[in-house]
Amino acid sequence: MKYEIVPRYLTGKSKRRPRIPMPGVRFMVAHDTGNPGSTAAGNVSYYERSRDDDYASAQIFVDDREIIECIPFLTGAPEKAWHVVYNVTTDNEIFGVDSNDCAGGVELCYGGNVDLKEAYKRYVWVLAYACYRFGLNPAKDITGHYILDPKRKVDPKNSLWMLGKTMNDFVNDVVAEYRECTLKLLDEGVRQTVSNTWITPTIDKSNVPDEKGYLMWLDYMLLEGTKTGLDKGVAVTIINTWMKPSYKLKKAAGDDEQANYIHWLADELRDASGLGPDE
């Protein structure tokens, strides 16, 4: 993993850690501590000392040095934490469930001696990782505490404001991190087969300079797919221009083996570019 997640569980059963299993994880709630200068370790230590004094809790605290999980979520079977009050209804309206029952709570530490830019990197990553672990869409399944409880809460805007970021900026950063961490590069063997079977022969036959230049660009972008991921538009163009017609010809000729192979090659391009199975 890009960063270590340190399990430092609160002693339970207690008010802060009731040890109730989550029935599932439906979304994530972004918080900040609202306590400038406090660290992840400091917050978890405070929670441990006061575990039977108060109910408020969250699964994860993040600062510039550590990601600490004090209630099992990513390092163990997910348990409930009390990070959004039950008497707000926004979570039910948006996601159909209560945050405490079906959402993970992640707290960002900021201010004082905390290097916020470094803490933010870990914050973004752990939310992206949580989305990956639980099959969530980072563009749709992350919300802020202030969105769910606008009359009482402003987090995580306290810390985002210090970075010059909005909630939308933050979600976009998580989406970008998610894509980077889950990126599948195009297999070199697949690239060579696609290039040698369709693109290079078409380049050799072309006598039109603009067309030849465009084809050479497609071939270059296909090579880039083995290094940085395949552009969706390039994948769609290659699939629609050569692979789908070739597939249909092989099927019509009764050559199912070759047709299935072409279909597999096309699926490899789809996977490397993030396209859906029918695109």
Side-chain angles (χ1 to χ4, degrees):
M1 290 193 297
K2 190 172 182 178
Y3 297 107
E4 181 184 9
I5 302 171
V6 180
R8 196 173 299 164
Y9 302 152
L10 304 179
T11 304
K13 185 177 181 180
S14 64
K15 287 183 176 181
R16 292 198 192 273
R17 184 190 172 192
R19 303 195 74 161
I20 301 173
M22 296 178 74
V25 179
R26 173 65 188 81
F27 63 104
M28 298 297 298
V29 182
H31 300 263
D32 65 44
T33 62
N35 183 19
S38 65
T39 64
N43 278 287
V44 172
S45 294
Y46 170 72
Y47 268 20
E48 174 65 17
R49 293 193 305 272
S50 61
R51 63 186 180 273
D52 283 316
D53 298 336
D54 197 358
Y55 289 96
S57 57
Q59 284 94 347
I60 298 171
F61 285 87
V62 182
D63 64 17
D64 55 336
R65 297 188 177 190
E66 293 182 295
I67 300 171
I68 302 178
E69 187 164 277
C70 62
I71 293 176
F73 187 68
L74 292 170
T75 62
E79 295 180 12
K80 294 182 182 183
W82 311 133
H83 55 106
V84 178
V85 294
Y86 271 110
N87 61 2
V88 297
T89 60
T90 313
D91 45 7
N92 305 92
E93 293 163 6
I94 298 174
F95 300 103
V97 288
D98 285 305
S99 302
N100 295 333
D101 297 336
C102 296
V106 183
E107 298 270 2
L108 175 62
C109 301
Y110 65 98
N113 292 324
V114 175
D115 184 334
L116 184 53
K117 289 184 179 179
E118 285 299 317
Y120 182 74
K121 290 177 185 177
R122 288 162 173 76
Y123 187 58
V124 165
W125 175 81
V126 79
L127 279 150
Y129 179 62
C131 288
Y132 167 76
R133 278 284 304 273
F134 297 112
L136 306 179
N137 182 342
K140 298 179 179 179
D141 296 333
I142 298 173
T143 190
H145 197 185
Y146 78 95
I147 294 172
L148 302 179
D149 193 357
K151 291 183 178 179
R152 297 189 318 117
K153 299 295 181 179
V154 295
D155 59 315
K157 291 196 291 184
N158 295 310
S159 50
L160 296 182
W161 174 82
M162 294 174 67
L163 290 163
K165 290 183 179 289
T166 65
M167 186 68 188
N168 284 339
D169 294 332
F170 162 62
V171 170
N172 288 337
D173 287 344
V174 177
V175 169
E177 181 73 21
Y178 179 92
R179 288 176 177 168
E180 180 181 333
C181 291
T182 58
L183 178 67
K184 177 182 177 180
L185 299 180
L186 182 65
D187 179 79
E188 173 61 19
V190 171
R191 182 203 70 80
Q192 289 184 8
T193 299
V194 172
S195 178
N196 295 339
T197 304
W198 291 290
I199 302 178
T200 299
T202 308
I203 291 172
D204 293 341
K205 291 176 184 178
S206 177
N207 294 315
V208 180
D210 287 347
E211 179 185 64
K212 200 177 189 77
Y214 176 66
L215 293 167
M216 292 175 68
W217 175 79
L218 282 177
D219 204 31
Y220 168 77
M221 292 300 292
L222 190 67
L223 176 62
E224 286 296 294
T226 66
K227 303 173 183 177
T228 59
L230 186 61
D231 178 81
K232 286 185 179 182
V234 170
V236 168
T237 297
I238 294 171
I239 290 169
N240 290 342
T241 302
W242 291 288
M243 304 181 85
K244 282 185 177 180
S246 296
Y247 172 82
K248 290 177 181 178
L249 285 172
K250 295 298 182 183
K251 288 293 285 186
D255 191 348
D256 287 347
E257 183 176 348
Q258 279 298 307
N260 290 338
Y261 179 60
I262 292 168
H263 189 274
W264 175 79
L265 287 171
D267 279 345
E268 288 293 297
L269 265 61
R270 292 183 180 101
D271 285 347
S273 62
L275 290 170
D278 299 321
E279 294 183 86

